[in-house]
């Protein structure tokens, strides 16, 4: 199956969906195979590009031209994930042994998540034991 819209420079292609599909414009693309192996890319206004590859949920890798776009994760051993799952940053080592995350001004760290956690922002202060 294939569809394109010249007005928005949009293209959609699929082969026996959900076995494979790809959507793209001049500025971004996303593709997936069985919703298990997927990727996406984005071209920023400044000309920088970043790409993400996922082998859900075990492997996540992002690369780009700036430091904030570079990350790597092999769940549950080690991970540094940026701008995914609605968080600015998620880090973990031997999940759930140590986990930390950031969302806007809120930063939290957890040991044996969800049993022990400390989080703080300008308007919020959490301690859980």
């Amino acid at each position: 199956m294939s569809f394109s819209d010249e007005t928005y420079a949009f293209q959609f292609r699929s082969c026996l969906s959900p076995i494979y599909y790809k959507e793209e414009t001049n500025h971004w693309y996303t593709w997936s195979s069985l919703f298990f192996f997927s990727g996406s890319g984005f071209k920023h206004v400044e000309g920088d590009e970043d790409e993400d590859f996922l082998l859900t949920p075990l492997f996540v890798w992002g690369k780009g031209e700036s430091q904030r776009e570079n990350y790597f994760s092999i769940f549950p051993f080690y991970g540094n994930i940026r701008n995914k799952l609605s968080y600015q940053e998620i880090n973990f080592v031997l999940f759930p042994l140590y986990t930390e995350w950031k969302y806007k001004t809120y930063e939290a760290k957890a040991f044996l998540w969800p049993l022990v956690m400390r989080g703080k922002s300008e308007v919020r202060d959490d301690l859980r034991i």
Side-chain angles (χ1 to χ4, degrees), residues 37-40 50-56 58-64 69-74 80-82 84:
F37 188 61
S38 59
S40 62
D50 69 82
E51 297 179 283
D52 302 321
F53 300 98
L54 295 92
L55 181 58
T56 309
L58 305 174
F59 175 74
V60 179
W61 175 47
K63 70 179 182 97
E69 297 162 350
N70 295 320
Y71 56 87
F72 180 77
S73 170
I74 297 180
N80 176 289
I81 302 171
R82 294 193 175 110
K84 295 288 180 209

Side-chain angles (χ1 to χ4, degrees), residues 18-77:
I19 292 176
Y20 176 80
Y21 85 90
K22 182 176 184 178
E23 297 177 272
E24 65 183 309
T25 69
N26 294 336
H27 306 288
W28 60 267
Y29 69 87
T30 185
W31 60 270
S32 176
S33 180
L34 297 172
F35 302 107
F36 182 69
F37 188 61
S38 59
S40 62
F42 187 78
K43 186 170 187 175
H44 297 278
V45 176
E46 304 86 32
D48 297 342
E49 294 184 26
D50 69 82
E51 297 179 283
D52 302 321
F53 300 98
L54 295 92
L55 181 58
T56 309
L58 305 174
F59 175 74
V60 179
W61 175 47
K63 70 179 182 97
E65 309 218 358
S66 71
Q67 182 60 30
R68 68 181 169 90
E69 297 162 350
N70 295 320
Y71 56 87
F72 180 77
S73 170
I74 297 180
F75 189 81
F77 306 108

Side-chain angles (χ1 to χ4, degrees), residues 64-114:
E65 309 218 358
S66 71
Q67 182 60 30
R68 68 181 169 90
E69 297 162 350
N70 295 320
Y71 56 87
F72 180 77
S73 170
I74 297 180
F75 189 81
F77 306 108
Y78 168 81
N80 176 289
I81 302 171
R82 294 193 175 110
N83 299 315
K84 295 288 180 209
L85 306 171
S86 298
Y87 291 93
Q88 289 171 311
E89 189 169 345
I90 301 171
N91 299 299
F92 61 87
V93 176
L94 298 174
F95 182 83
L97 186 62
Y98 176 78
T99 309
E100 65 181 34
W101 59 95
K102 296 176 186 176
Y103 178 77
K104 295 184 181 179
T105 62
Y106 184 77
E107 294 185 22
K109 295 181 182 184
F111 298 95
L112 296 173
W113 179 87

